[in-house]
Amino acid sequence: MSPSPHRRFARTLAVLGAIAVLVSAVVSPPDPYTQLVYATPLLLLALLLSVLRSYTDALEAFERDRNQ
């Protein structure tokens, strides 16, 4: 049984958001402003990818290839 699109969206956004914050913490200098500047585009990208994965078939081919 497949999870609902809302649950899938929340899970995907949580994982990608955590990765985005981690990457910005590693790449940016230890300055909160700079880390926010680095994290904002990554979080927006995480939001876009979560929507595409959960509510459209745009990433369906990638998931099909991964499962084969």
Side-chain angles (χ1 to χ4, degrees):
M1 184 162 93
S2 178
S4 72
H6 302 302
R7 188 175 290 259
R8 189 177 191 183
F9 170 77
R11 189 175 3 172
T12 305
L13 184 59
V15 170
L16 292 178
I19 291 171
V21 170
L22 181 68
V23 167
S24 70
V26 169
V27 173
S28 69
D31 167 28
Y33 175 74
T34 307
Q35 187 174 2
L36 186 63
V37 168
Y38 279 51
T40 302
L42 292 175
L43 288 171
L44 290 174
L45 181 64
L47 180 64
L48 175 68
L49 289 174
S50 297
V51 168
L52 288 175
R53 182 174 188 262
S54 301
Y55 299 114
T56 67
D57 293 334
L59 300 177
E60 188 73 26
F62 293 117
E63 290 180 10
R64 239 190 342 254
D65 290 343
R66 185 185 69 176
N67 291 333
Q68 290 180 359

